[in-house]
């Protein structure tokens, strides 16, 4: 597959228009906004960067790499084990619903191309498996995955803080080196590198379940 075609496929799969329902989830950010932990460009940038370098987005990137590796090695048993592990790592009920519902929606939509050898999986495992099955290169897939993660949370903040479009672009620009650095780390990772230190975000996701008048599903 030509390089341009591979890039186009990643752009399609990780576009906000791809029907995974990502726009309906805040990953606990709505709670952080309500409680005042995130209120401006600086705090939003720090929140997302922390998730990418030390939190759930880092773990998800490791899982993308692991799933990609399993599929390219045609190790379907390992892929199933990775999917089970990814689901078990969810720190809250809402985070589990978020990743499982998006993974299911992604696998259903990606069947229009060449579906990966798995029927149900958390979202990062589904993406990694699909990228491996389509012979898409790992590092661009990780970069696109992390960018989509960050862009979705910025979109949440635009609606919930609210932030203006210029502020949103400042956040995305500031996250570029973090995304590249994290993608490079994840490309060299193994499952032994899984781990999260973003306890405030995890607690925010737990509190979200009882948040009054919430806008998002997590």
């Amino acid at each position: 597959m030509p390089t341009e075609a591979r890039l186009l496929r990643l752009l399609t799969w990780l576009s906000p228009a791809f029907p995974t329902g990502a726009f309906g989830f805040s990953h606990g950010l709505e709670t952080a906004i309500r409680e005042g932990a995130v209120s401006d460009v600086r705090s939003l940038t720090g929140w997302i960067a922390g998730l990418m370098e030390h939190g759930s987005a880092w773990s998800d990137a490791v899982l993308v790499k692991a799933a990609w590796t399993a599929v390219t090695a045609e190790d379907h048993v390992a892929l199933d084990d990775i999917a089970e592990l990814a689901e078990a790592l969810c720190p809250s009920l809402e985070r589990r619903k978020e990743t499982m519902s998006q993974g299911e929606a992604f696998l259903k939509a990606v069947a229009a191309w060449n579906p990966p050898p798995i029927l149900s999986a958390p979202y990062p495992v589904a993406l990694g498996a699909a990228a491996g099955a389509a012979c898409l290169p790992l590092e661009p897939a990780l970069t696109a995955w992390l960018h989509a993660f960050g862009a979705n949370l910025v979109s949440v903040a635009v609606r919930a803080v609210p932030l203006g479009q210029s502020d949103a672009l400042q956040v995305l620009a500031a996250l570029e080196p973090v995304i590249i650095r994290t993608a490079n780390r994840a490309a060299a990772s193994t499952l032994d590198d899984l781990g999260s230190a973003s306890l405030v975000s995890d607690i925010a996701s737990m509190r979200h379940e009882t948040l009054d008048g919430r806008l998002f599903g997590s």
Side-chain angles (χ1 to χ4, degrees), residues 7-214:
L7 175 61
L8 180 60
R9 189 165 298 184
L10 279 173
L11 290 172
T12 299
W13 286 358
L14 290 166
S15 162
F18 205 68
T20 61
F23 65 89
F25 297 97
S26 84
H27 207 70
L29 180 57
E30 184 176 15
T31 306
I33 291 170
R34 291 279 193 93
E35 295 179 350
V38 173
S39 59
D40 54 18
V41 168
R42 182 191 59 79
S43 55
L44 177 62
T45 302
W47 184 273
I48 299 174
L51 292 176
M52 289 184 177
E53 296 190 291
H54 309 294
S56 55
W58 161 250
S59 292
D60 282 354
V62 174
L63 292 166
V64 169
K65 191 272 175 95
W68 183 93
T69 301
V71 169
T72 54
E74 299 184 355
D75 191 342
H76 298 169
V77 173
L79 180 61
D80 289 340
D81 289 344
I82 293 163
E84 184 176 344
L85 173 62
E87 185 176 357
L89 288 174
C90 296
S92 67
L93 176 62
E94 288 199 353
R95 285 273 184 88
R96 180 184 178 278
K97 289 179 179 177
E98 175 183 329
T99 193
M100 295 305 294
S101 65
Q102 289 187 72
E104 180 180 351
F106 178 84
L107 289 172
K108 185 180 296 185
V110 84
W113 288 267
N114 48 327
I118 194 166
L119 298 177
S120 177
Y123 192 18
V125 177
L127 185 280
C135 299
L136 301 181
L138 175 60
E139 290 201 26
L142 287 165
T143 302
W145 166 264
L146 289 164
H147 178 270
F149 176 89
N152 187 66
L153 293 191
V154 170
S155 174
V156 169
V158 167
R159 287 173 280 169
V161 170
L163 287 183
Q165 292 296 333
S166 295
D167 288 339
L169 292 175
Q170 285 186 50
V171 176
L172 290 173
L175 288 173
E176 285 183 359
V178 180
I179 290 170
I180 293 170
R181 189 163 59 244
T182 304
N184 289 338
R185 284 175 57 213
S189 70
T190 69
L191 289 177
D192 289 339
D193 295 304
L194 281 171
S196 172
S198 57
L199 297 180
V200 174
S201 173
D202 294 342
I203 292 170
S205 75
M206 297 173 192
R207 289 178 176 168
H208 188 268
E209 185 176 355
T210 57
L211 200 66
D212 290 334
R214 59 188 187 173

